[in-house]
Amino acid sequence: MKARLPLPLYLQFWDLFLIELSNWRWAWRNLVLTGTVLPVFGILLLGSFARELGSNALSFVLIGNLVMALLFEHMGKMISHFAYMKTAGSLDYFATLPVRKAMLILAASLAFFILFLPSLVVVLAGGALILRLQLHVNPLALVVVPLCALPLAGIGALMGVTFRTPEEASSVGRLLTILMLTVGPVLIPPDRLPDWLVWFGFLSPATYAASALRQVLLGPLTTRLLLDSAVLAACILFSFWMVDRRMDWREG
């Protein structure tokens, strides 16, 4: 009897994506809280301090909170999801199927991203209204926004299956979020930060995500967008490469 060949990658992805998209049944409440309420509250709080500093500082408040929701909440959801699958034995089930690890992680990432889109619109529109900023949304946002959501997705999945308990994985994820948000010009303009923090910020994907989002959502576009997009794409490739090399889901 011939061994059954694995499905083409696009069919593997589509089947896994439909499975992962069903997460809306349990994830939507957390997405509303952490993806909408907390960023809007952060905009209200930080905006009250930054209003006297002008529109540039307010733009960092808006985009910084958007990065926090888009990049780090996405990573946090991946950590929680894969830690739960490890504990519940779901990873063992997926490991018996003729599918690639990268396809499972990509499917989960895009499913969470799609579920987050309504929150993204609310935070962007509501934050601009609260801070009285004029939006100038460029069509390139259709490319840049997904690029800003995926750089840490693979790392989140790897962390979820590496640590012994979901609580440990979530704690390390929160620590990583705090470090990347405070290092570099993400929430705070670079002229308000020490030089060493600005330079360290170039090591964080959050810095490039914030820069890219400011350009495509508030304007103007500059050649810096090419660098930001290239770095974010490289982070995505590195993240998925790390997962493919390090994540052994049959023993995770």
Side-chain angles (χ1 to χ4, degrees):
M1 183 176 180
K2 289 185 177 181
R4 185 178 179 183
L5 295 176
L7 292 173
L9 290 181
Y10 73 93
L11 288 179
Q12 291 183 33
F13 166 76
W14 182 248
D15 289 342
L16 292 168
F17 174 71
L18 293 179
I19 294 172
E20 292 295 335
L21 198 58
S22 66
N23 286 323
W24 70 269
R25 292 178 295 177
W26 64 266
W28 72 269
R29 295 177 180 85
N30 287 333
L31 285 171
V32 169
L33 177 62
T34 60
T36 306
V37 177
L38 292 182
V40 170
F41 181 77
I43 289 170
L44 283 168
L45 182 63
L46 294 176
S48 64
F49 290 98
R51 198 171 298 278
E52 296 180 358
L53 301 178
S55 60
N56 184 54
L58 292 175
S59 72
F60 276 83
V61 170
L62 174 62
I63 299 301
N65 278 277
L66 203 60
V67 168
M68 180 174 64
L70 188 61
L71 183 66
F72 295 110
E73 285 301 327
H74 192 86
M75 180 187 71
K77 290 294 181 293
M78 292 292 288
I79 292 174
S80 300
H81 183 49
F82 276 82
Y84 172 78
M85 288 202 297
K86 171 189 171 182
T87 303
S90 301
L91 279 181
D92 294 331
Y93 167 73
F94 282 113
T96 65
L97 303 178
V99 296
R100 297 283 297 272
K101 287 178 285 188
M103 291 299 102
L104 175 61
I105 294 166
L106 182 61
S109 301
L110 291 182
F112 278 121
F113 174 70
I114 289 175
L115 293 174
F116 176 73
L117 285 178
S119 297
L120 173 67
V121 174
V122 172
V123 172
L124 179 61
L129 183 63
I130 292 169
L131 300 175
R132 299 178 184 175
L133 291 174
Q134 187 77 31
L135 294 177
H136 298 281
V137 180
N138 189 282
L140 288 174
L142 295 174
V143 177
V144 170
V145 171
L147 276 179
C148 293
L150 298 178
L152 298 181
I155 300 299
L158 184 60
M159 291 171 62
V161 301
T162 300
F163 289 92
R164 293 178 300 174
T165 64
E167 292 76 18
E168 286 184 5
S170 296
S171 297
V172 174
R174 285 192 292 269
L175 176 61
L176 185 62
T177 298
I178 293 171
L179 288 175
M180 288 192 179
L181 279 175
T182 54
V183 174
V186 180
L187 283 165
I188 302 173
D191 57 343
R192 299 281 172 175
L193 292 172
D195 290 340
W196 65 273
L197 270 182
V198 175
W199 282 106
F200 269 112
F202 290 116
L203 301 177
S204 168
T207 299
Y208 301 94
S211 173
L213 287 174
R214 272 193 300 273
Q215 293 178 70
V216 299
L217 298 178
L218 298 174
L221 293 182
T222 69
T223 54
R224 169 68 190 269
L225 183 61
L226 294 175
L227 172 64
D228 296 330
S229 300
V231 171
L232 291 171
C235 288
I236 293 172
L237 293 175
F238 176 76
S239 173
F240 280 81
W241 175 82
M242 280 287 293
V243 168
D244 194 57
R245 291 290 302 272
R246 300 293 182 182
M247 191 177 96
D248 188 348
W249 60 358
R250 289 170 176 81
E251 297 180 3

